[in-house]
């Protein structure tokens, strides 16, 4: 049974414990950042930051909405990054059969600049980042080292708010549907982000773009996704 | 305890079992019984079961733990009459069933007052009664609205007294105050903490992952004020009070909106106080702006409100 995350943005308070715990567990180097007029820092994912909590704020109908989006690799069921990268360098990206974790290997360093660019553009969520020195491509590893010791991923372990959840895929899907139904009255525009395609399922508090440009996949099959969401919301609508 | 013997290394179930002869050890008596031999860590409990009486009040005695002794409402016998009957039968906190208290854990287990063996419910007060006010305060007896010592208004609409007549203040050459409604400092500054830094930040600024997440002094302001002052998000600005000035990065946000106070627009800005010159490039201390004013009783600093002005910086020296 593959594993999955449920990231419930309606519960996230942007404490950024996940972002910092990720960095600590993976021994990633903190960068010298600047205050640029937002609490979002580091400003984006980078080879030393597998996880960034994205901040967005809106005044909608006179009401302030402040959204937080703990961004990370979605561990796609069929990862486009793997298709592209392995087309050039076999074994650059592997998928762990037991957990479904999508993992970048040292072979990613052999990808040319253009090949990496193609790999990054293939990602529907703009996740892969490359270290300009070593050439290694990196991102969230699902804490595969911790999973092998029966420990939770570090971001899930550290989350005090119940925003980060992890478990068997079926359980997480069930939890996602339950939570979506629960939050609907307070978050009428809430939805699940691409639950059929990814193992990191977001419960989005509002329209996807209001949380993050790449909250849901851009591109090839928007109709399928819409169809899926329409199916999903139908029983709720008819009940209301 | 009862017929049970507790040995060295075991947790006693209640503070009543603590001894003053060195046989027991305790850091804080209130939390005795939070970890017990029988039930483990009671703070971890998530049991939502309740009886009919508890359901009426919305009490969940099996969820987590409340000090002391899992009592949920202090002085709870104040909710019953001399016979132990709840004053409000629809919302009983506690009740005497003829032989014992039912409901919340009683705050003192004596029988009702009518028995002659009872005690008044406010057991931590000398007289056993509730108090609206007590002796020993500089002001009072009842709460009064005063303006902060530095205030954007010249008049208190609720009384003739503008600010507290008994606030504490440090007197030195540097400790000066703006006059009420000072036109040179028309903006209200409030200060606060951020999650990433502890207090003044002396430790957390030296923790690279925390400094990465919250690196430099910022000032949150409304879009309206930013427009008025020609400030863009991320600009370096100077914030100035009668006592000093600091550089900060402007954070222009919908989360701050201008107030209308006594018919006039008053702008609010907000800054954290976790930065300082000992960490290079992060900005200087917000304490250079705030007044050394303390509340009359506890001397808690009045850092939630003082008067400042803000303008775009032409030269940057404190921020990297």
């Amino acid at each position: 049974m593959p594993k999955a995350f449920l990231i419930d943005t309606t519960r996230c308070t942007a404490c950024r414990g996940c972002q910092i715990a990720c960095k600590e567990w993976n021994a990633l180097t903190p960068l010298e950042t600047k205050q640029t007029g937002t609490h979002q820092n580091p400003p984006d994912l980078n080879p030393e930051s597998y996880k960034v909590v994205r901040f967005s704020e809106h005044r909608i109908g006179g009401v302030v909405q402040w959204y937080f989006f703990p961004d990370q690799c979605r561990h796609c069921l069929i990862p486009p990054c793997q298709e592209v990268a392995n087309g050039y360098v076999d074994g650059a990206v592997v998928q762990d059969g037991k957990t479904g974790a999508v993992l970048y290997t040292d072979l990613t360093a052999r990808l040319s600049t253009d090949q990496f660019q193609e790999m990054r553009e293939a990602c529907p969520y703009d996740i892969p980042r490359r270290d300009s020195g070593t050439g290694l491509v990196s991102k969230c590893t699902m804490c595969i080292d911790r999973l092998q010791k029966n420990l939770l991923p570090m971001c899930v372990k550290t989350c005090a708010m119940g925003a980060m959840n992890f478990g068997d895929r079926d359980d997480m899907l069930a939890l996602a549907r339950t939570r979506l139904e629960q939050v609907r009255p307070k978050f009428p525009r809430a939805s699940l982000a691409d639950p059929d395609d990814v193992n990191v399922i977001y419960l989005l508090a509002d329209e996807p773009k209001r949380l993050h440009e790449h909250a849901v996949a851009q591109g090839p099959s928007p109709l399928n996704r819409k169809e899926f969401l329409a199916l999903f919301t139908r029983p709720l609508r008819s009940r209301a | 305890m009862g017929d049970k013997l507790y040995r060295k290394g075991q947790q006693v179930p209640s503070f009543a079992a603590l001894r003053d002869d060195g046989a027991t050890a305790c850091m804080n008596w209130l939390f005795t019984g939070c970890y017990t031999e029988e039930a483990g860590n009671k703070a971890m409990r998530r049991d939502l079961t309740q009886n009919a009486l508890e359901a009426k009040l919305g009490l969940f005695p099996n969820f987590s733990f409340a000090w002391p002794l899992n009592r949920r409402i202090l002085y709870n016998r104040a909710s019953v009459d001399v016979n132990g009957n709840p004053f409000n039968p629809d919302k009983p906190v506690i009740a005497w069933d003829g032989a014992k208290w039912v409901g919340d854990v009683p705050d003192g287990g004596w029988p009702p007052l009518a028995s002659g063996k009872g005690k008044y419910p406010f057991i931590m007060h000398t007289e056993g009664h509730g108090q609206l006010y007590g002796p020993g305060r500089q002001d009072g007896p009842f709460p009064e609205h005063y303006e902060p010592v530095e205030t954007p208004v010249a008049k208190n609409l609720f009384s003739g007294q503008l600010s507290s007549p008994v606030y504490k203040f440090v007197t030195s050459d540097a400790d000066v105050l703006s006059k009420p409604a000072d036109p040179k400092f028309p903006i209200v500054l409030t200060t606060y903490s951020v999650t990433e830094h502890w207090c003044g930040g002396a430790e957390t600024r030296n923790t690279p992952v925390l400094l990465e997440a919250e690196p430099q002094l910022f000032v949150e302001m409304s879009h309206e004020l930013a427009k008025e002052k020609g400030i863009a998000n991320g600009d370096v600005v100077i914030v100035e009070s009668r006592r000093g000035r600091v550089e900060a990065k402007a954070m222009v946000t919908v989360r701050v909106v201008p107030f209308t106070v006594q018919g006039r627009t008053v702008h609010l800005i907000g800054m954290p106080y976790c930065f300082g010159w000992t960490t290079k490039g992060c900005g200087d201390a917000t304490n250079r702006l705030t007044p050394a004013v303390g509340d009359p009783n506890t001397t808690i600093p009045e850092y939630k409100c003082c008067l400042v002005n803000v303008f775009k910086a032409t030269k940057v020296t404190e921020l990297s």
Side-chain angles (χ1 to χ4, degrees):
Chain A
M1 164 72 66
K3 299 289 181 184
F5 293 75
L6 170 65
I7 302 183
D8 185 344
T9 63
T10 67
R11 282 188 156 167
C12 179
T13 63
C15 75
R16 297 194 280 182
C18 58
Q19 179 183 312
I20 283 160
C22 171
K23 198 150 251 206
E24 297 271 38
W25 176 260
N26 291 296
L28 300 170
T29 311
L31 308 172
E32 270 187 36
T33 52
K34 307 276 183 219
Q35 172 56 253
T36 59
T38 169
H39 291 292
Q40 184 177 313
N41 238 332
D44 196 5
L45 297 169
N46 60 59
E48 299 293 337
S49 305
Y50 299 164
K51 181 136 192 163
V52 165
V53 177
R54 298 185 186 277
F55 290 66
S56 53
E57 58 181 45
H58 310 272
R59 203 185 286 169
I60 304 164
V63 180
V64 171
Q65 301 287 358
W66 201 8
Y67 294 131
F68 314 121
F69 186 86
D71 196 11
Q72 64 172 81
C73 171
R74 311 298 198 278
H75 296 278
C76 297
L77 301 185
I78 304 164
C81 62
Q82 184 181 29
E83 279 177 44
V84 171
N86 286 9
Y88 296 114
V89 181
D90 195 34
V93 178
V94 296
Q95 195 169 23
D96 179 49
K98 200 173 160 203
T99 59
V102 178
L103 302 165
Y104 293 174
T105 72
D106 290 354
L107 295 173
T108 53
R110 295 195 195 163
L111 293 164
S112 73
T113 307
D114 287 349
Q115 289 164 351
F116 164 68
Q117 201 52 38
E118 195 183 326
M119 174 192 185
R120 179 166 168 178
E121 279 162 16
C123 174
Y125 308 101
D126 191 32
I127 298 296
R129 295 292 189 274
R130 177 171 235 182
D131 185 310
S132 55
T134 63
L136 290 170
V137 183
S138 59
K139 64 161 192 70
C140 162
T141 64
M142 206 188 267
C143 281
I144 186 82
D145 49 348
R146 292 176 59 86
L147 296 186
Q148 284 166 352
K149 297 280 182 195
N150 286 322
L151 298 169
L152 285 169
M154 202 60 216
C155 54
V156 179
K157 178 73 184 170
T158 200
C159 180
M161 300 302 153
M164 298 294 307
N165 303 275
F166 187 81
D168 289 339
R169 180 172 167 82
D170 285 354
D171 294 343
M172 286 300 109
L173 277 170
L175 180 62
R177 293 191 180 109
T178 308
R179 282 293 299 159
L180 180 63
E181 206 165 326
Q182 283 172 351
V183 305
R184 222 12 131 200
K186 206 174 158 198
F187 300 91
R189 297 179 295 271
S191 67
L192 300 177
D194 307 335
D196 278 357
D197 305 327
V198 295
N199 276 325
V200 179
I201 302 156
Y202 286 83
L203 199 178
L204 303 171
D206 202 335
E207 286 157 16
K209 291 253 186 218
R210 283 189 178 151
L211 281 94
H212 173 41
E213 192 192 343
H214 300 291
V216 294
Q218 317 290 309
S221 57
L223 262 182
N224 289 343
R225 193 179 59 78
K226 266 191 187 163
E227 279 165 9
F228 172 80
L229 287 176
L231 280 174
F232 202 74
T233 52
R234 200 186 314 157
L236 287 160
R237 281 198 192 126
S238 60
R239 204 178 305 155
Chain B
M1 283 293 284
D3 56 357
K4 193 157 178 190
L5 187 67
Y6 288 86
R7 295 186 184 282
K8 187 178 173 181
Q10 290 187 315
Q11 308 277 4
V12 295
S14 143
F15 65 79
L18 295 175
R19 294 286 171 265
D20 60 3
D21 59 1
T24 59
C26 180
M27 284 287 283
N28 182 341
W29 68 273
L30 288 167
F31 279 95
T32 317
C34 184
Y35 273 78
T36 63
E37 292 301 318
E38 297 78 15
N41 181 2
K42 290 189 178 174
M44 293 278 281
R45 297 182 305 170
R46 295 293 181 266
D47 184 353
L48 297 176
T49 54
Q50 52 186 180
N51 64 31
L53 191 97
E54 290 154 358
K56 276 187 179 176
L57 192 67
L59 208 63
F60 295 93
N62 304 306
F63 187 95
S64 192
F65 176 82
W67 59 257
L69 295 172
N70 202 34
R71 179 178 302 128
R72 300 299 162 129
I73 296 165
L74 296 179
Y75 304 140
N76 47 26
R77 288 182 298 111
S79 67
V80 298
D81 64 18
V82 291
N83 297 308
N85 298 316
F87 288 122
N88 182 352
D90 294 333
K91 297 225 180 276
V93 179
I94 196 166
W96 182 257
D97 73 356
K100 61 177 191 307
W101 292 105
V102 294
D104 196 12
V105 177
D107 204 348
W110 307 282
L113 288 168
S115 71
K117 296 173 198 155
K119 286 199 178 178
Y120 287 122
F122 290 86
I123 57 173
M124 300 302 273
H125 289 177
T126 312
E127 302 84 5
H129 298 301
Q131 299 172 346
L132 286 178
Y133 58 86
R137 297 284 171 266
Q138 298 292 318
D139 52 358
F142 291 113
E144 176 66 40
H145 172 77
Y146 296 122
E147 282 297 311
V149 173
E150 278 193 340
T151 168
V153 299
K155 205 176 157 200
N156 182 354
L157 297 183
F158 298 96
S159 77
Q161 182 67 36
L162 185 64
S163 300
S164 169
V166 285
Y167 72 81
K168 291 180 181 167
F169 187 58
V170 177
T171 44
S172 79
D173 290 348
D175 288 303
V176 287
L177 293 167
S178 291
K179 63 179 196 292
D182 191 331
K184 276 187 283 184
F185 301 103
I187 297 168
V188 175
L189 167 70
T190 191
T191 69
Y192 38 74
S193 298
V194 293
T195 317
E196 292 76 11
H197 292 291
W198 184 73
C199 210
E203 294 91 344
T204 48
R205 274 186 267 127
N206 290 305
T207 306
V209 279
L210 297 175
L211 193 64
E212 178 193 40
E214 204 61 87
Q216 290 180 316
L217 185 60
F218 59 83
V219 48
E220 293 188 89
M221 65 178 73
S222 66
H223 286 274
E224 291 84 349
L225 177 63
K227 199 177 164 198
E228 214 173 275
K229 297 279 183 179
I231 294 165
N233 194 37
D235 279 354
V236 178
V237 299
I238 305 283
V239 186
E240 188 178 37
S241 78
R242 261 208 83 190
R243 292 160 293 278
R245 49 161 62 190
V246 293
E247 292 170 8
K249 294 278 183 78
M251 190 184 283
V252 182
T253 171
V254 297
R255 288 173 283 109
V256 180
V257 286
F259 291 110
T260 303
V261 181
Q262 299 186 9
R264 199 162 56 84
T265 297
V266 175
H267 289 291
L268 171 82
I269 61 172
M271 298 171 79
Y273 47 73
C274 56
F275 296 105
W277 60 271
T278 54
T279 304
K280 198 171 175 291
C282 79
D284 213 328
T286 303
N287 283 1
R288 283 169 64 182
L289 305 172
T290 45
V293 168
D295 103 271
N297 297 304
T298 62
T299 325
I300 289 173
E302 194 166 272
Y303 290 172
K304 284 291 164 198
C305 180
C306 69
L307 293 181
V308 295
N309 207 343
V310 56
F311 47 90
K312 201 168 160 173
T314 48
K315 196 176 145 205
V316 183
T317 59
E318 295 167 8
L319 291 162
S320 64

